[in-house]
Amino acid sequence: MKIICNGEQCDVAADTLARVLLELGYAGAVVATAVNGAFVPISLRQNTPLKFGDAVEVLAPMQGG
Amino acid sequence: MKIICNGEQCDVAADTLARVLLELGYAGAVVATAVNGAFVPISLRQNTPLKFGDAVEVLAPMQGG
Amino acid sequence: MKIICNGEQCDVAADTLARVLLELGYAGAVVATAVNGAFVPISLRQNTPLKFGDAVEVLAPMQGG
Amino acid sequence: MKIICNGEQCDVAADTLARVLLELGYAGAVVATAVNGAFVPISLRQNTPLKFGDAVEVLAPMQGG
Amino acid sequence: MKFYGHEPCSRLLLGTAQYPSPAILSDAIKLSGTEIVTVSLRRESGATRAGQGFWSIVRDLDVKVLPNTAGCHSVKEAISTAEMAREVFQTAWIKLEVIGDDDTLQPDMFATVEAARILISEGFEVFPYMTEDLVVAEKLLQAGCQVLMPWGAPIGSGRGLNNVYGLRSLRAHFPDVPLIVDAGIGLPSHAAAAMELGYDAVLLNTAVAKAVDPVQMAGAFAKAVAAGREAFLAGPMEQRDMAAPSTPLIGKAFL
Amino acid sequence: MKFYGHEPCSRLLLGTAQYPSPAILSDAIKLSGTEIVTVSLRRESGATRAGQGFWSIVRDLDVKVLPNTAGCHSVKEAISTAEMAREVFQTAWIKLEVIGDDDTLQPDMFATVEAARILISEGFEVFPYMTEDLVVAEKLLQAGCQVLMPWGAPIGSGRGLNNVYGLRSLRAHFPDVPLIVDAGIGLPSHAAAAMELGYDAVLLNTAVAKAVDPVQMAGAFAKAVAAGREAFLAGPMEQRDMAAPSTPLIGKAFL
Amino acid sequence: MKFYGHEPCSRLLLGTAQYPSPAILSDAIKLSGTEIVTVSLRRESGATRAGQGFWSIVRDLDVKVLPNTAGCHSVKEAISTAEMAREVFQTAWIKLEVIGDDDTLQPDMFATVEAARILISEGFEVFPYMTEDLVVAEKLLQAGCQVLMPWGAPIGSGRGLNNVYGLRSLRAHFPDVPLIVDAGIGLPSHAAAAMELGYDAVLLNTAVAKAVDPVQMAGAFAKAVAAGREAFLAGPMEQRDMAAPSTPLIGKAFL
Amino acid sequence: MKFYGHEPCSRLLLGTAQYPSPAILSDAIKLSGTEIVTVSLRRESGATRAGQGFWSIVRDLDVKVLPNTAGCHSVKEAISTAEMAREVFQTAWIKLEVIGDDDTLQPDMFATVEAARILISEGFEVFPYMTEDLVVAEKLLQAGCQVLMPWGAPIGSGRGLNNVYGLRSLRAHFPDVPLIVDAGIGLPSHAAAAMELGYDAVLLNTAVAKAVDPVQMAGAFAKAVAAGREAFLAGPMEQRDMAAPSTPLIGKAFL
């Protein structure tokens, strides 16, 4: 299924946020997620289905001023 | 009838804004008026009744920065 | 005779400051003169002999701040 | 004998700088001396006679910026 | 430069307050060549009718008046004041001032933007007194303001330009908007500096009215504003860190 | 204010160097109303005789000339140059400049004081270019100088007044001596500020000559100098830390 | 001084961006004695997982982290970013930054106040990046902010304190509110000056990270901030216009 | 950096005058880590012998003393004072101060240069108090001075650095000469700024002695001087006119 992850097209097999994260290599990573601009806490990733064209953001700690 | 004009108590006989202005010595004066905080244009003074306790403001041009 | 005029070598026939000025094209020019670093006023140009190697400065009005 | 010490008149019995210093209470004090505006080093105090009206300066360490 | 279609020759706007006498006020305004003066509305006594006298003096000056909402602390106050001013002074112009702090007389930009929106919808031509905030400027323009009046320093302080960097940024961001430095100017050199930054005009009051000789000071400011404007147009030299001889070195004599 | 008995109307003195063309030089001087211009002496070629043309242009301006000793690094050089200038320009006036450092063109005050003594003994009327040093000022006055010309900033830098405190002190110490801020001025606001400090005049060159439009800039400086002078005479308001409403609070409506 | 109940010993807060290497970042933070550092959230690649490495470095520093909403231009963006930051960094602290202009990175105070209200209602402890606007400050406090962070100058400009007067007014109006000068600091003397004004702390990044030797510069800023704070507490002398001999005149010899 | 062969660790020199008490003087000096203090010579009374007590306090501090010629107005006075100081304090060091004006305590550079020549010929190691004049500096070096001490502002004024441009030029012209900013410093940020300009040390007195808490202020200055020095060595960032995001834009989420 085609979704957008961090601004880039990607084709994923999984259909929940949690599984997509695993599929895309985020296993065990300290990241926060948003779907279509709205924050999705860890607790809801399991039950957050993804559908064609959803925009997923996966963010991690980075340098900041 | 007791009203408040420019912050001071005054006792007037007249009961419309237009007549009160005459009574209080504003005949022919270049002034703008407000009743209870709302602007009353010249055109409406005639038909603006005043009742006990109304707060009338009569303002004229003054120095300004 | 070789002298230095305004920093440049030049060979002149005349042997007084006044004549050298004429020879070098300063006839009628508004200029002030110095020989070997010392001011020579107009009144003395006639009687100021020049010898080999003398340094003559011929200055005129110029832009200044 | 009347001399001036640190700007004030004083009457002293002694007639050398060294003895005058003792007489005026500077025994053992860390001070530098001048007579009539000229520095007199310790080594010369003994042999520095004072005469009527001499101006003696006796200076010690003080706060400074 | 036009203020809502009006194009004055003079780029100096003056307030009418605090002068030693009406005569001095008139002379100062005349000598300054000012074509726009600020005025206010205050309570008139039916007995003394002081305002009537002041008004006839101003009318005789034959200048455009820019009524202000000085002293207003709320949107409602400012709007009622503006409405009354429009009737009395027969002009759609209003210098919108909504004060947010009494020590610095800093404007409340939230209230000012809101009041500007309402007044413009009522047909007013608003001259908003503002800080040098770029975002506020954008909002006032969106609200329909066609002139902006950032402060130089607090009203009556005479400190000049407290935030030159901020004023320069504002000018750079809105090259085509008429910008007037309003308030805080204390000396002609301050006014000239504002104009050299590219501001379109300067509005002041205390620096002239409270001078020992207000009339002469009015003339001084008129010249300074013109000087700053002409310097801006003439294209100033670049500032340098090192010296550069003005008199040519070439041709220097050896003496 | 008199410079050795001469009392000009204009308090702006201009240099004649670095203009794009003789025509622009003339127009700038004329528009500025300047009555005193600085000139120098340089080597003349018998072939081209360039100086003769320049001189006729300056003569046509019908202004007083103040010859300088620009570029001189020694007392001897300065004196010979002054003597030659006096003959050529037919004036006892000399702007005495003895440079001590080439990066800042800072004057050598030791050499300047010595040269001033000698020149004055020879009958010159000396305009010494100096730093803001109070002791140097005292020595120059003792030497017989009747005018002092402290720098604002290095020649040609356009930085304005580098040491306002020093210039203010100098003015305060010598209230009756004609003081001219010479060099470093970059903008009309700088010139106005110098005059507001109580200086008697301003001398500049690069800021006008190197402007994109020198003529217009000359006019701008003329206005700024007059503005600063008038402000000084008019007695400016006191600067305040807090705001003070210009529009009266009393009589404000309750709306 | 407490930031939402937390009382650091060090009054210097540092950003973590732009350092030449992670090692230099760590050394700079350690040497500075900083106890609070700012961080951000950025897109993580499942392949490189760069953020994971950065995060472990920061965790090893054993300091409190203050996540920012840098680069956000809308309330919505800022809020989503804050929510994500809270989960990742396990802290209610958020440095709220809503940019209104890209050249100066000036904050949009309208959006910042609105976002602050929402975030505080969601339980965040907000550190708002703001201008020196007094009315904005009041609104942020009413919204529930317990710390304010006015800018010194635009982010990364290193210009120091552009509006000292404005910063002094802000301090005077809110004597009991923790105030941090955030952004624009370029030199330790700037940081010391901010603390001398009575500010509670200073937050900076570029001035340390972009120094030739960031570690040494971090140490320099730590000392300067402490110096400025101690000077504020020690009660500085009054500035004077005239000189006053430090060495006593009394008792001076006559030589 | 060496002062006539002596290399102190601390770059802060302190005066010993105007402290509330000897105990506070001692504590301030100790806390500051200062290794060089200035002292003077004044008339001693045979009765009270006040100077003896002061001297024992200073000796106990175990620091180097730099005697001054404060208050001297002539070469002769300064030389006699220096000679007396050398005997009393057993040091060849002398802070040469020849005052030329009493309102600003500006040094007389003519007399100072002359006195320096004589004193150096007598074997003194001279620390001349001077203006920022480049030519004077050159003459003092030629006279044999190995340290220069330009003023920041008039003694006791606490104004900081009146002429930053002049001080920067002086530093640039004499990169290898030990330069100490002496006098005028009022706040630690002033001292830090002087060190950031590349000055080797700072000498002050009033700013510490007249603080409400001199001991704490002494510590503040010690930190500020170290901070400024480290910043100079660490190579500060370039100041910019526009903002530059510290937090990376790349990788910013779309929310």
Side-chain angles (χ1 to χ4, degrees):
Chain A
M1 172 181 66
K2 286 195 165 9
I3 64 168
I4 297 158
C5 184
N6 285 343
E8 286 169 13
Q9 292 281 357
C10 53
D11 206 332
V12 292
D15 60 359
T16 68
L17 179 54
R19 287 213 209 71
V20 163
L21 290 175
L22 289 177
E23 184 177 343
L24 294 177
Y26 294 103
V30 177
V31 292
T33 52
V35 176
N36 301 327
F39 168 52
V40 178
I42 293 173
S43 55
L44 300 185
R45 288 179 191 165
Q46 214 94 42
N47 315 328
T48 301
L50 292 183
K51 59 182 185 327
F52 174 87
D54 278 343
V56 175
E57 292 283 346
V58 185
L59 308 185
M62 205 60 64
Q63 292 81 349
Chain B
M1 172 180 67
K2 287 194 165 9
I3 63 168
I4 297 159
C5 184
N6 285 345
E8 286 168 14
Q9 291 281 357
C10 54
D11 206 332
V12 293
D15 60 359
T16 69
L17 179 55
R19 288 214 209 73
V20 163
L21 289 175
L22 289 176
E23 185 176 343
L24 294 177
Y26 294 102
V30 176
V31 291
T33 52
V35 175
N36 302 327
F39 169 52
V40 179
I42 293 172
S43 56
L44 300 185
R45 288 179 192 167
Q46 214 95 42
N47 315 328
T48 301
L50 292 183
K51 62 182 182 325
F52 174 88
D54 278 344
V56 176
E57 291 283 345
V58 186
L59 308 186
M62 205 59 65
Q63 292 80 350
Chain C
M1 174 181 63
K2 286 195 165 7
I3 63 168
I4 297 159
C5 185
N6 284 345
E8 286 170 13
Q9 291 282 355
C10 53
D11 206 331
V12 294
D15 59 359
T16 67
L17 179 54
R19 287 213 211 73
V20 163
L21 289 175
L22 288 177
E23 186 176 345
L24 294 178
Y26 294 103
V30 176
V31 292
T33 52
V35 175
N36 301 327
F39 169 53
V40 178
I42 292 172
S43 56
L44 300 184
R45 288 179 191 165
Q46 214 94 44
N47 315 327
T48 300
L50 292 182
K51 62 182 182 327
F52 175 86
D54 277 344
V56 176
E57 292 283 344
V58 185
L59 309 185
M62 206 59 64
Q63 292 80 350
Chain D
M1 174 181 65
K2 287 197 163 10
I3 63 168
I4 297 158
C5 184
N6 284 346
E8 286 168 13
Q9 292 281 356
C10 53
D11 206 331
V12 293
D15 61 358
T16 68
L17 179 55
R19 288 213 209 72
V20 162
L21 289 176
L22 289 176
E23 185 177 345
L24 294 177
Y26 294 102
V30 176
V31 291
T33 53
V35 175
N36 301 327
F39 168 51
V40 179
I42 293 173
S43 56
L44 300 185
R45 287 179 192 165
Q46 214 94 42
N47 315 327
T48 301
L50 292 183
K51 61 183 185 325
F52 174 87
D54 278 345
V56 176
E57 292 283 345
V58 186
L59 309 185
M62 205 60 65
Q63 292 80 349
Chain E
M1 165 210 54
K2 287 189 173 178
F3 301 146
Y4 295 98
H6 174 76
E7 189 163 12
C9 303
S10 166
R11 290 168 177 273
L12 173 62
L13 289 70
L14 284 176
T16 56
Q18 302 178 289
Y19 291 81
S21 75
I24 290 174
L25 164 62
S26 300
D27 294 348
I29 301 292
K30 284 177 198 146
L31 184 67
S32 70
T34 290
E35 299 161 50
I36 300 169
V37 300
T38 50
V39 292
S40 72
L41 276 184
R42 289 294 180 256
R43 285 168 166 172
E44 180 78 332
S45 144
T48 61
R49 299 171 58 127
Q52 307 305 305
F54 171 74
W55 183 219
S56 71
I57 290 162
V58 172
R59 259 178 320 208
D60 293 349
L61 290 172
D62 182 35
V63 292
K64 265 183 95 65
V65 296
L66 173 59
N68 69 29
T69 63
C72 292
H73 286 65
S74 72
V75 173
K76 176 172 169 305
E77 263 190 311
I79 288 170
S80 297
T81 304
E83 290 167 337
M84 296 169 83
R86 178 162 55 177
E87 185 183 78
V88 162
F89 296 109
Q90 298 289 305
T91 175
W93 283 13
I94 189 72
K95 174 182 169 180
L96 177 60
E97 219 179 300
V98 188
I99 297 306
D101 166 72
D102 283 332
D103 294 338
T104 59
L105 297 177
Q106 188 208 293
D108 175 338
M109 296 324 301
F110 291 74
T112 301
V113 169
E114 185 185 339
R117 278 206 201 91
I118 296 166
L119 289 170
I120 286 162
S121 71
E122 292 184 9
F124 282 92
E125 298 176 325
V126 178
F127 293 65
Y129 172 59
M130 64 180 290
T131 64
E132 62 274 22
D133 188 302
L134 297 170
V135 175
V136 165
E138 187 54 52
K139 287 184 187 293
L140 287 167
L141 295 174
Q142 284 161 5
C145 292
Q146 294 176 29
V147 178
L148 299 177
M149 303 209 297
W151 64 351
I155 296 169
S157 68
R159 297 177 51 84
L161 309 180
N162 268 344
N163 185 358
V164 168
Y165 180 90
L167 290 170
R168 184 179 285 115
S169 299
L170 189 65
R171 176 72 285 179
H173 278 61
F174 303 103
D176 304 325
V177 177
L179 297 180
I180 304 171
V181 170
D182 174 13
I185 300 293
L187 290 166
S189 56
H190 300 158
M195 298 302 291
E196 287 162 358
L197 288 176
Y199 277 75
D200 296 286
V202 167
L203 165 49
L204 54 97
N205 186 345
T206 309
V208 165
K210 289 294 197 189
V212 176
D213 181 342
V215 179
Q216 185 172 36
M217 189 60 88
F221 270 102
K223 289 192 179 72
V225 167
R229 178 61 185 176
E230 289 169 21
F232 174 72
L233 296 173
M237 67 181 282
E238 282 299 311
Q239 199 181 96
R240 303 163 35 96
D241 233 36
M242 301 262 281
S246 46
T247 304
L249 293 176
I250 184 164
K252 180 167 174 321
F254 178 78
L255 297 167
Chain F
M1 165 210 53
K2 287 189 175 179
F3 300 147
Y4 295 99
H6 174 76
E7 188 163 12
C9 303
S10 166
R11 290 167 178 274
L12 174 62
L13 289 70
L14 283 176
T16 56
Q18 302 177 291
Y19 290 82
S21 75
I24 290 174
L25 163 62
S26 300
D27 294 348
I29 301 291
K30 284 176 198 147
L31 185 66
S32 71
T34 291
E35 299 161 50
I36 301 169
V37 300
T38 52
V39 292
S40 71
L41 277 183
R42 288 295 180 258
R43 285 169 166 171
E44 180 78 333
S45 144
T48 62
R49 297 170 60 126
Q52 307 305 304
F54 171 73
W55 184 219
S56 71
I57 290 162
V58 173
R59 260 178 319 208
D60 295 349
L61 291 171
D62 183 34
V63 291
K64 266 183 93 64
V65 296
L66 173 59
N68 68 29
T69 62
C72 292
H73 286 65
S74 73
V75 172
K76 176 172 170 301
E77 262 190 312
I79 288 170
S80 297
T81 304
E83 291 167 337
M84 295 170 82
R86 177 160 56 175
E87 185 183 79
V88 162
F89 295 110
Q90 297 290 306
T91 176
W93 283 13
I94 189 73
K95 174 181 170 181
L96 177 60
E97 217 179 301
V98 189
I99 298 305
D101 167 71
D102 283 332
D103 294 339
T104 59
L105 296 177
Q106 189 209 294
D108 175 339
M109 296 324 300
F110 291 76
T112 301
V113 169
E114 184 184 340
R117 278 206 200 89
I118 296 166
L119 289 170
I120 286 161
S121 71
E122 292 183 9
F124 282 92
E125 297 176 327
V126 178
F127 294 65
Y129 171 58
M130 63 181 289
T131 64
E132 62 273 22
D133 188 302
L134 297 170
V135 174
V136 165
E138 187 54 51
K139 287 183 187 294
L140 288 167
L141 294 173
Q142 283 161 5
C145 292
Q146 293 176 31
V147 178
L148 299 177
M149 304 209 296
W151 64 350
I155 295 169
S157 68
R159 299 176 50 85
L161 309 180
N162 267 345
N163 185 359
V164 169
Y165 180 90
L167 290 170
R168 185 180 284 116
S169 299
L170 189 66
R171 177 72 285 179
H173 278 62
F174 303 103
D176 304 326
V177 177
L179 297 180
I180 304 171
V181 170
D182 174 13
I185 300 293
L187 290 166
S189 56
H190 300 157
M195 298 303 290
E196 289 162 357
L197 288 175
Y199 276 75
D200 295 286
V202 167
L203 166 50
L204 55 97
N205 186 345
T206 309
V208 165
K210 289 293 197 189
V212 177
D213 181 342
V215 179
Q216 185 172 35
M217 189 60 87
F221 271 102
K223 289 192 179 73
V225 167
R229 178 61 184 176
E230 291 169 20
F232 174 73
L233 296 173
M237 67 181 282
E238 283 298 312
Q239 200 181 94
R240 302 162 37 94
D241 233 37
M242 302 261 283
S246 47
T247 304
L249 293 176
I250 183 164
K252 178 165 176 323
F254 179 78
L255 297 166
Chain G
M1 165 211 52
K2 287 190 174 177
F3 300 146
Y4 295 99
H6 175 77
E7 188 163 12
C9 302
S10 166
R11 289 167 178 275
L12 174 62
L13 289 70
L14 284 177
T16 56
Q18 301 178 290
Y19 291 81
S21 75
I24 290 174
L25 163 62
S26 300
D27 293 348
I29 301 292
K30 284 176 199 147
L31 184 67
S32 71
T34 291
E35 298 161 51
I36 300 169
V37 300
T38 50
V39 293
S40 72
L41 276 184
R42 288 295 179 258
R43 284 169 167 172
E44 180 77 332
S45 145
T48 61
R49 298 171 58 126
Q52 307 306 304
F54 170 73
W55 183 219
S56 70
I57 289 162
V58 172
R59 259 178 319 208
D60 294 349
L61 290 172
D62 184 36
V63 291
K64 266 183 93 65
V65 296
L66 173 58
N68 68 30
T69 63
C72 291
H73 286 66
S74 73
V75 173
K76 178 172 168 303
E77 262 189 313
I79 287 169
S80 297
T81 305
E83 291 167 338
M84 296 170 83
R86 177 161 57 178
E87 184 183 79
V88 162
F89 296 109
Q90 298 291 307
T91 175
W93 284 13
I94 189 73
K95 173 181 171 181
L96 177 59
E97 218 179 300
V98 188
I99 297 307
D101 166 71
D102 283 332
D103 295 338
T104 59
L105 296 176
Q106 189 208 293
D108 175 338
M109 296 325 300
F110 291 75
T112 300
V113 168
E114 185 185 339
R117 278 207 200 89
I118 296 166
L119 289 170
I120 285 160
S121 72
E122 292 183 9
F124 283 91
E125 297 176 326
V126 177
F127 294 66
Y129 171 59
M130 64 181 289
T131 65
E132 62 273 21
D133 187 302
L134 297 170
V135 175
V136 165
E138 187 54 51
K139 287 185 187 294
L140 288 167
L141 294 173
Q142 283 162 5
C145 292
Q146 294 175 31
V147 178
L148 299 177
M149 304 208 296
W151 63 351
I155 295 170
S157 69
R159 297 177 51 86
L161 309 180
N162 266 345
N163 185 358
V164 168
Y165 180 90
L167 289 170
R168 184 180 284 115
S169 300
L170 188 66
R171 175 74 285 179
H173 279 62
F174 303 103
D176 304 325
V177 177
L179 297 180
I180 304 172
V181 170
D182 175 13
I185 300 293
L187 289 165
S189 55
H190 300 157
M195 298 303 291
E196 288 162 357
L197 288 176
Y199 276 74
D200 295 286
V202 167
L203 167 50
L204 54 96
N205 186 346
T206 308
V208 165
K210 289 293 197 189
V212 177
D213 180 342
V215 179
Q216 185 172 35
M217 190 59 88
F221 271 103
K223 288 192 179 74
V225 167
R229 177 62 183 175
E230 290 169 19
F232 175 72
L233 296 173
M237 67 180 283
E238 283 298 310
Q239 200 181 95
R240 302 161 38 92
D241 234 35
M242 302 262 282
S246 46
T247 303
L249 293 176
I250 183 166
K252 181 168 174 322
F254 179 78
L255 296 167
Chain H
M1 166 209 54
K2 287 188 174 181
F3 302 146
Y4 295 99
H6 175 76
E7 188 163 13
C9 302
S10 166
R11 289 166 178 274
L12 173 62
L13 289 70
L14 283 176
T16 56
Q18 302 177 289
Y19 291 81
S21 76
I24 289 174
L25 163 62
S26 300
D27 294 348
I29 301 292
K30 284 177 198 147
L31 185 67
S32 71
T34 291
E35 298 160 51
I36 301 169
V37 300
T38 51
V39 292
S40 72
L41 275 184
R42 287 295 179 258
R43 285 168 167 173
E44 180 77 333
S45 144
T48 61
R49 297 170 58 125
Q52 307 305 305
F54 170 72
W55 183 219
S56 70
I57 289 161
V58 172
R59 259 179 319 208
D60 294 349
L61 289 172
D62 183 35
V63 292
K64 265 183 94 65
V65 296
L66 173 58
N68 68 30
T69 62
C72 292
H73 286 65
S74 73
V75 172
K76 177 172 168 304
E77 262 190 312
I79 287 169
S80 297
T81 305
E83 291 167 338
M84 296 171 83
R86 177 161 56 176
E87 186 183 79
V88 162
F89 295 109
Q90 299 290 306
T91 176
W93 283 14
I94 189 73
K95 174 181 169 181
L96 177 61
E97 217 178 300
V98 188
I99 297 307
D101 166 71
D102 284 332
D103 294 339
T104 59
L105 296 176
Q106 189 208 294
D108 175 338
M109 295 325 300
F110 290 75
T112 300
V113 169
E114 185 185 339
R117 277 205 201 90
I118 296 166
L119 288 170
I120 285 160
S121 72
E122 292 184 9
F124 283 91
E125 297 177 326
V126 178
F127 294 64
Y129 171 59
M130 64 181 290
T131 64
E132 62 273 22
D133 188 302
L134 297 170
V135 175
V136 165
E138 188 54 50
K139 287 183 187 294
L140 287 167
L141 294 173
Q142 283 161 7
C145 293
Q146 295 176 30
V147 178
L148 299 177
M149 304 209 296
W151 64 351
I155 296 169
S157 69
R159 296 177 52 86
L161 309 180
N162 266 346
N163 185 358
V164 168
Y165 181 90
L167 290 170
R168 183 180 285 116
S169 299
L170 189 65
R171 175 73 286 179
H173 278 61
F174 303 103
D176 304 325
V177 177
L179 297 180
I180 304 171
V181 170
D182 174 13
I185 300 293
L187 289 166
S189 56
H190 300 157
M195 299 302 291
E196 288 163 356
L197 288 176
Y199 277 75
D200 295 287
V202 167
L203 166 49
L204 55 96
N205 186 345
T206 309
V208 165
K210 289 293 196 189
V212 177
D213 181 341
V215 179
Q216 185 172 35
M217 190 60 86
F221 271 103
K223 289 192 177 74
V225 167
R229 177 62 185 176
E230 290 169 21
F232 175 73
L233 296 173
M237 68 181 281
E238 282 299 310
Q239 200 182 95
R240 301 162 38 94
D241 234 35
M242 302 263 281
S246 46
T247 304
L249 293 176
I250 182 164
K252 184 172 171 317
F254 179 78
L255 296 167

